């Protein structure tokens, strides 16, 4: 598990350029969203800084992680990057609405899906989407080592 860290990039409100805007505005202070008559109050929470040594990232449920779990085909920047959650508070409950790894302090210009080997590009607003089961309510962002094995995460 990562030790709590300090944010290395800020996320003050700014004019959002990329759609869907909620991908960014959910991390702004005091964001409120109403959907189907339910008001969601979103709060940003820093988890810590994720070390990315190989530039390859896996997103998976820790329950389903295996040595065969594929990394995204995207080559991500190397370094230590903050991981944040947007936690939705609603009807006396709270749930993680979004998780993100901040690679830059600059606003996002456009969104595109991170793909696994063999997946085709899909539109962000399309009917189809990719994902992984989160029945256990967990997500895991390990790195893929140079040798292809899951890289250990250290604080």
């Amino acid at each position: 598990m990562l030790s709590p860290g300090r944010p290395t990039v800020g996320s003050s409100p700014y004019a959002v350029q990329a759609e869907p805007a909620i991908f960014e505005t959910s991390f702004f202070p005091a964001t409120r969203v109403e959907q189907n008559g339910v008001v969601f109050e979103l709060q940003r929470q820093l988890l810590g800084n994720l070390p990315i040594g190989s530039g390859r990232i896996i997103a998976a449920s820790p329950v389903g992680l295996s040595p065969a779990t594929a990394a995204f085909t995207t080559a991500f920047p190397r370094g230590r990057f903050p991981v944040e959650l947007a936690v939705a508070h609603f009807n006396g409950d709270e749930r993680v609405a979004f998780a993100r790894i901040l690679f830059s302090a600059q606003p996002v210009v456009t969104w595109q899906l991170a793909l696994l080997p063999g997946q085709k590009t899909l539109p962000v607003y399309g009917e189809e989407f990719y994902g992984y089961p989160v029945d256990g309510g967990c997500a895991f962002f390990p790195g893929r080592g140079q040798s292809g094995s899951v890289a250990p995460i250290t604080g």
Side-chain angles (χ1 to χ4, degrees):
M1 177 178 250
L2 290 172
S3 301
R6 288 189 219 145
T8 56
V9 264
S11 184
S12 299
Y14 49 82
V16 174
Q17 301 172 27
E19 290 293 331
I22 191 68
F23 286 179
E24 288 184 85
T25 60
S26 62
F27 293 91
F28 292 172
T31 297
R32 293 172 54 97
V33 176
E34 183 176 342
Q35 185 175 16
N36 299 325
V38 178
V39 175
F40 298 88
E41 295 181 2
L42 295 152
Q43 180 181 30
R44 183 178 68 180
Q45 181 179 345
L46 173 71
L47 290 183
N49 292 310
L50 177 66
I52 301 174
S54 69
R56 300 185 64 209
I57 297 174
I58 298 168
S61 166
V63 175
L65 190 65
S66 77
T69 303
F72 291 118
T73 58
T74 303
F76 293 94
R78 295 176 184 192
R80 292 178 66 84
F81 301 95
V83 176
E84 294 180 334
L85 301 178
V87 179
H89 300 268
F90 61 100
N91 294 339
D93 196 2
E94 64 179 41
R95 306 279 172 103
V96 173
F98 299 96
R100 70 177 179 180
I101 303 169
L102 284 169
F103 293 107
S104 170
Q106 299 301 312
V108 174
V109 176
T110 186
W111 291 104
Q112 54 182 251
L113 298 176
L115 301 173
L116 295 173
Q119 291 180 331
K120 64 179 180 171
T121 303
L122 297 175
V124 173
Y125 281 111
E127 299 262 332
E128 297 179 82
F129 63 92
Y130 299 119
Y132 57 90
V134 290
D135 296 340
C138 297
F140 190 47
F141 300 117
R144 176 68 71 191
Q146 299 292 354
S147 66
S149 63
V150 174
I153 294 178
T154 58

